[in-house]
Amino acid sequence: MAITLTTDTGPRLPGLLRRLTGDEKHAPSAHSTIDVLQVLYDRVLRVTPDTADDPERDRFLLSKGHGPAAYYAVLAAHGFIPDAWLDDLAGPGSRLGHHPDRLLVPGVEIGSGSLGHGLGLAVGTALGLRAQGLLTPRVYVLLGDAELDEGSNHEAIAYAGATGLGNLTAVVVDNASATHGWAGGIASRFTVNGWTADTVDGRDHTALYTALTGHRPRRPHLVVAHVESNG
């Protein structure tokens, strides 16, 4: 499949985000993820509107689906959805719900929003690709740090490490909203189960790109992206 050239949607994104109105757009959640999403779609993911169903595409799963405004804006910036859809977030005839729906929104891989589900789905997706002999596609999943309070994630972390899912990258946006936490930080919770990990400034696009492409063979990879607290 063709790999897209590096793009820069930065100038367009503020205007696209402003088209999404209402308290339900969860502006703090959207703001926390916008830089990671931009770097992924501008520079990392091998997927375009024309290749959205190609088996060889990279997969991006938004586990943090309860704040999808930034995701919708990035999808519009890359041509997956029309800009005009942003003007009717969760309206009676809108395809854009408060949680993204893969059956309604082109480019969306999973319906998400319930905390704690996305990482397990990403592990299953990565395992399924490997079982089919599809060794080039990568699976990226974006979580919020508070999702790690959900126990299902820890089974997924352990399983991915034990099975050497080297085609999986998890990104945790850390805005200090988790209840529990771990000694040594979020990365330590993953590395103890065999993951590699990078912890970076979640607003630094160069650092994000280096971390997102810094995976190693036969080991799942974690990127912790620190952003300002919402508290």
Side-chain angles (χ1 to χ4, degrees), residues 1-228:
M1 74 184 275
I3 298 177
T4 341
L5 296 174
T6 298
T7 57
D8 181 10
T9 56
R12 293 197 64 211
L13 287 176
L16 292 171
L17 272 172
R18 283 193 294 270
R19 296 179 72 154
L20 293 145
T21 59
D23 292 340
E24 297 85 357
K25 81 176 193 177
H26 293 284
S29 180
H31 183 63
S32 71
T33 61
I34 188 67
D35 293 277
V36 171
L37 289 167
Q38 184 185 343
V39 173
L40 277 167
Y41 276 88
D42 280 4
R43 303 179 61 187
V44 177
L45 292 172
R46 300 178 318 109
V47 62
T48 69
D50 292 334
T51 62
D53 295 318
D54 191 319
E56 292 287 347
R57 74 189 183 279
D58 288 339
R59 274 73 165 172
F60 172 73
L61 280 59
L62 180 69
S63 184
K64 192 177 177 177
H66 55 287
Y71 186 34
Y72 293 152
V74 169
L75 288 175
H78 282 270
F80 287 91
I81 63 174
D83 294 4
W85 286 14
L86 304 177
D87 298 331
D88 188 28
L89 176 64
S94 176
R95 292 186 178 218
L96 305 185
H98 298 316
H99 296 176
D101 186 329
R102 77 175 189 88
L103 298 179
L104 297 177
V105 186
V108 170
E109 296 281 357
I110 60 169
S112 61
S114 298
L115 299 183
H117 292 174
L119 185 57
L121 288 169
V123 168
T125 301
L127 189 66
L129 290 171
R130 188 167 74 177
Q132 295 174 74
L134 294 169
L135 304 180
T136 301
R138 291 197 63 77
V139 178
Y140 294 84
V141 56
L142 175 60
L143 307 92
D145 60 320
E147 290 189 71
L148 297 179
D149 290 341
E150 302 288 342
S152 57
N153 286 298
H154 303 284
E155 296 180 11
I157 292 167
Y159 184 84
T163 53
L165 282 181
N167 58 342
L168 174 66
T169 294
V171 186
V172 176
V173 174
D174 182 9
N175 61 3
S177 60
T179 300
H180 306 306
W182 299 270
I186 290 173
S188 66
R189 177 62 193 86
F190 287 73
T191 55
V192 74
N193 281 113
W195 291 58
T196 58
D198 291 307
T199 299
V200 298
D201 179 346
R203 303 301 184 196
D204 184 332
H205 287 203
T206 299
L208 283 169
Y209 175 76
T210 300
L212 289 165
T213 57
H215 41 266
R216 272 73 93 188
R218 296 179 294 282
R219 296 180 70 182
H221 186 55
L222 169 72
V223 177
V224 180
H226 281 292
V227 298
E228 59 281 359

